[in-house]
Amino acid sequence: MAKKSKSSTLFPTTPREHISQLIEWMSQGVYEKEQIIAVALLCAVAGENLFLLGPPGTAKSLVASRLKMVFKEGKSFDYLMSRFSTPDEIFGPISISRLKNDDKYERLTSGYLPEADIVFLDEIWKAGPSIQNTLLTVINEHIFHNGGQIMRTPMKVLIAASNELPAKDEGLEALWDRFLMRMVSNCIESDASFFKMLRSEQIGLKPLPEQFYITQELYDKWQSESRAVTMSESVVAAIKSLRKLLSNYEKEDGNQLRYYVSDRRWRKAYRLMQTSAYLNGRSEINLTDYLLLIHSFWNDDESIPNVLNAFTSSLSDSVTKSLSKIDKSIKQIMAPQGQQGEQTVQSQTIRRGSGSNEFAEYDYFYYLVENYPSGETYFSKWDYSALNNQPKDGVRYFDSKRNKNIIHALMPGRPFDAATKNASNLTKVKIQKCNNGVIIDGTPYSFRKRSNDSISPELMQRLPVYQRISAVQESYKTCAAEWEAQITENWVDSNNIFLSPNDLGLIKKMIREVSEQMKTIEVKLNNVVMMIK
């Protein structure tokens, strides 16, 4: 008798271990579909929907059937759509007895979509308008209007499939927008996997150990706890960059829908990233969770290459911009100098005055108060702009959502709402503006400054050559250190269980390109140093 593995006898200790075991179990006898299975499971836990694009015979329906099996007492509904499909076949037949005896127009929903946990609809775009309109209500609000009765649907995920994308200008855009994740299910590509599939024996699934079922109680627990996951600053920066890049593509293309991402989709994408981070054992969304959205934000096959490029560019946007500034500074150093090019400027002239644009920004809304005795403390940059040299009332508190100490000014006509700010440990303080920072309860504190790469080109040009080279070297070191930290934090030994080798291949290519760019800049900088000596 074969010895049982530990995973088959022990209860999973973490959500990550649990999900990993389920993915492994669902992937039995299936080749090159591990990521689709993993993402389908992620969508089910997050409460989002999945569309699979691919030809017949590529295991699309199998994904849904196995997904249903991991939910304790889970119910499923599968249907192959055609243009002749009727609402009765999807939502249940009309109850003749209720219509005859009580004059009530109600459907018998047992065994049909309204009572299913996992739904699979093949060839979904062939459904008629009456089915599509009802689906929109079920997907949006998780309710089904059954005559005069409103039913809450238990549906965790709707998996739809087709060998084509929705036809344009036929009113399918609203339904298409409801599928957050969109993945391609192709035939087996690898020769090794193909022949392994041919030679494999058709045997049944191994039984799923009882402890690995997802109960409703566990499902609710995962959903609740995952909502506490926060988002890292690197992801915030990447999202800002991505929105601009997609907007630029949209303007260049002229197609208002090809690169359009609705606010609803962004909100759902955030929820999916939270769930991914939680199931991977993290309390913060990182860039590996963000990368999953490459399977979400394309709207047609023509947009896929540009969407992939936008994602990889958004991940390296900050470093490439910094490198571009450094390269420009190197060229300026090597350019012929005018009569004032070598004028000596005291190091104090590097300071750009006391304007707020010299301060480093955090979460887009705060400055960091240096050396504050209560620990890491942030000051609202909008409040700072309204301060003057006269003391004003303020409040210091702990923001449990951001996990930071925050200081806000108390403005007339704008009451402080502690609940909306997740505030605890409130303390009143006196605040007023001062040079390079703020005075809090009579003690001056400076705000953290931006790094050297933020020095304006005009000021850089006014420095003597040796100071300019030193500033550029420092900028390069800062840029390189920040890039290495991002790679280490997100991509070294990346173990996001929902990413595929192909997804990570995009990242490896991007990292190689940035590394080559950094090497080029480093060579230029070293050459300039050698020439000046």
Side-chain angles (χ1 to χ4, degrees):
M1 184 174 179
K3 184 180 179 180
K4 290 185 178 181
S5 66
K6 288 185 178 181
S7 62
S8 65
T9 59
L10 298 178
F11 280 87
T13 57
T14 64
R16 177 185 171 84
E17 181 185 338
H18 197 148
I19 292 294
S20 297
Q21 291 292 338
L22 289 177
I23 293 171
E24 181 180 344
W25 181 84
M26 291 171 65
S27 300
Q28 293 177 69
V30 183
Y31 302 91
E32 298 184 0
K33 298 294 183 289
E34 290 84 358
Q35 188 188 25
I36 292 178
I37 287 172
V39 169
L41 189 52
L42 170 64
C43 286
V45 177
E48 298 300 339
N49 303 307
L50 170 66
F51 173 77
L52 299 178
L53 174 66
T58 55
K60 298 190 295 294
S61 60
L62 180 144
V63 173
S65 65
R66 292 195 176 179
L67 182 61
K68 184 265 294 188
M69 297 179 189
V70 306
F71 287 92
K72 188 71 172 179
E73 301 177 355
K75 298 178 182 178
S76 65
F77 177 79
D78 303 345
Y79 195 80
L80 173 62
M81 296 286 196
S82 76
R83 57 193 180 97
F84 301 110
S85 299
T86 66
D88 289 7
E89 297 167 311
I90 310 300
F91 307 108
I94 301 300
S95 173
I96 302 300
S97 61
R98 289 284 285 168
L99 186 62
K100 180 179 178 181
N101 299 328
D102 303 320
D103 198 24
K104 296 285 188 180
Y105 187 89
E106 292 183 1
R107 296 187 182 276
L108 300 173
T109 57
S110 179
Y112 291 88
L113 185 147
E115 296 190 24
D117 297 278
I118 309 297
V119 177
F120 178 72
L121 299 178
D122 203 358
E123 297 301 335
I124 188 170
W125 311 125
K126 291 183 170 62
S130 59
I131 294 175
Q132 291 173 14
N133 290 337
T134 305
L135 279 176
L136 286 175
T137 304
V138 172
I139 294 172
N140 278 348
E141 305 165 28
H142 278 224
I143 61 173
F144 175 67
H145 294 278
N146 192 9
Q149 178 186 3
I150 296 179
M151 296 177 56
R152 292 291 304 177
T153 63
M155 186 173 70
K156 295 174 174 61
V157 61
L158 168 59
I159 300 177
S162 178
N163 58 7
E164 61 185 0
L165 294 174
K168 297 179 180 179
D169 303 321
E170 292 191 10
L172 297 170
E173 292 82 8
L175 185 58
W176 173 235
D177 193 60
R178 296 321 189 269
F179 293 96
L180 177 63
M181 298 299 279
R182 301 159 177 181
M183 304 193 73
V184 178
S185 180
N186 285 323
C187 295
I188 297 172
E189 296 181 1
S190 162
D191 285 342
S193 296
F194 176 75
F195 285 105
K196 190 174 181 181
M197 179 271 296
L198 288 183
R199 298 187 182 106
S200 64
E201 296 182 10
Q202 296 298 316
I203 57 177
L205 280 171
K206 297 176 183 177
L208 180 65
E210 182 70 22
Q211 65 268 29
F212 286 108
Y213 281 105
I214 301 176
T215 63
Q216 187 62 45
E217 180 183 6
L218 180 61
Y219 181 82
D220 292 339
K221 177 177 182 287
W222 283 356
Q223 283 226 325
S224 174
E225 291 181 353
S226 62
R227 293 181 187 278
V229 171
T230 58
M231 186 159 52
S232 67
E233 290 187 17
S234 60
V235 175
V236 172
I239 289 175
K240 283 188 64 178
S241 177
L242 179 67
R243 281 165 53 86
K244 290 179 182 178
L245 290 166
L246 292 179
S247 177
N248 291 338
Y249 276 132
E250 187 176 303
K251 291 174 183 176
E252 293 171 5
D253 186 80
N255 185 329
Q256 294 300 309
L257 294 177
R258 179 162 291 156
Y259 300 101
Y260 171 70
V261 181
S262 67
D263 291 342
R264 175 177 56 240
R265 288 184 69 74
W266 272 113
R267 187 173 181 83
K268 288 176 174 290
Y270 177 67
R271 183 77 193 97
L272 187 95
M273 290 190 293
Q274 281 185 308
T275 307
S276 171
Y278 172 78
L279 294 179
N280 275 286
R282 288 180 275 102
S283 61
E284 188 176 66
I285 297 167
N286 72 10
L287 294 176
T288 67
D289 308 306
Y290 166 77
L291 186 63
L292 284 168
L293 301 186
I294 61 175
H295 302 292
S296 176
F297 286 175
W298 57 271
N299 287 313
D300 57 30
D301 51 356
E302 294 179 24
S303 68
I304 292 177
N306 283 342
V307 169
L308 294 180
N309 182 65
F311 267 91
T312 54
S313 297
S314 70
L315 292 170
S316 60
D317 184 57
S318 61
V319 66
T320 53
K321 284 181 177 178
S322 295
L323 291 174
S324 178
K325 290 180 182 179
I326 292 169
D327 191 36
K328 184 178 180 181
S329 297
I330 292 172
K331 291 177 181 178
Q332 289 174 340
I333 290 172
M334 297 306 298
Q337 300 295 317
Q339 291 183 348
Q340 296 181 347
E342 290 294 332
Q343 65 180 357
T344 301
V345 183
Q346 298 298 323
S347 60
Q348 287 85 352
T349 61
I350 296 177
R351 292 175 55 192
R352 290 164 286 152
S354 59
S356 61
N357 63 346
E358 70 177 305
F359 303 136
E361 296 178 4
Y362 296 83
D363 289 347
Y364 302 102
F365 301 110
Y366 301 99
Y367 300 135
L368 176 63
V369 181
E370 295 274 31
N371 302 317
Y372 195 71
S374 297
E376 196 172 78
T377 301
Y378 295 81
F379 197 99
S380 167
K381 73 175 187 178
W382 305 118
D383 292 356
Y384 183 71
S385 63
L387 292 181
N388 53 36
N389 58 0
Q390 297 298 318
K392 286 189 175 182
D393 289 329
V395 61
R396 185 185 72 242
Y397 61 92
F398 180 75
D399 186 328
S400 58
K401 186 174 183 180
R402 291 185 171 86
N403 199 31
K404 295 174 179 176
N405 292 309
I406 305 289
I407 293 180
H408 267 293
L410 297 177
M411 300 297 183
R414 195 178 71 186
F416 181 81
D417 187 347
T420 61
K421 296 185 182 298
N422 308 290
S424 61
N425 300 327
L426 276 73
T427 304
K428 281 194 173 183
V429 293
K430 286 288 185 180
I431 53 178
Q432 67 186 89
K433 183 178 287 189
C434 69
N435 192 30
N436 296 321
V438 65
I439 299 173
I440 304 172
D441 290 335
T443 302
Y445 297 93
S446 62
F447 292 144
R448 180 167 294 176
K449 304 290 183 63
R450 294 180 185 270
S451 58
N452 283 338
D453 64 346
S454 298
I455 297 175
S456 69
E458 293 79 10
L459 285 173
M460 181 71 79
Q461 276 295 98
R462 293 169 56 194
L463 295 173
V465 168
Y466 74 91
Q467 286 189 352
R468 287 157 63 190
I469 291 177
S470 178
V472 173
Q473 286 177 314
E474 190 61 33
S475 295
Y476 179 80
K477 288 179 183 178
T478 300
C479 176
E482 290 176 352
W483 178 242
E484 286 301 319
Q486 179 176 314
I487 293 174
T488 301
E489 180 183 350
N490 296 279
W491 308 117
V492 173
D493 299 326
S494 174
N495 57 358
N496 189 313
I497 54 181
F498 304 110
L499 289 178
S500 72
N502 287 338
D503 295 339
L504 294 174
L506 294 171
I507 298 304
K508 291 177 182 177
K509 181 175 180 290
M510 178 268 293
I511 291 175
R512 284 196 305 269
E513 291 173 350
V514 173
S515 297
E516 290 171 2
Q517 188 177 355
M518 295 192 77
K519 288 178 182 177
T520 300
I521 296 296
E522 185 178 21
V523 169
K524 287 183 179 181
L525 186 55
N526 290 339
N527 288 345
V528 169
V529 173
M530 294 296 294
M531 293 172 69
I532 296 300
K533 283 184 176 180

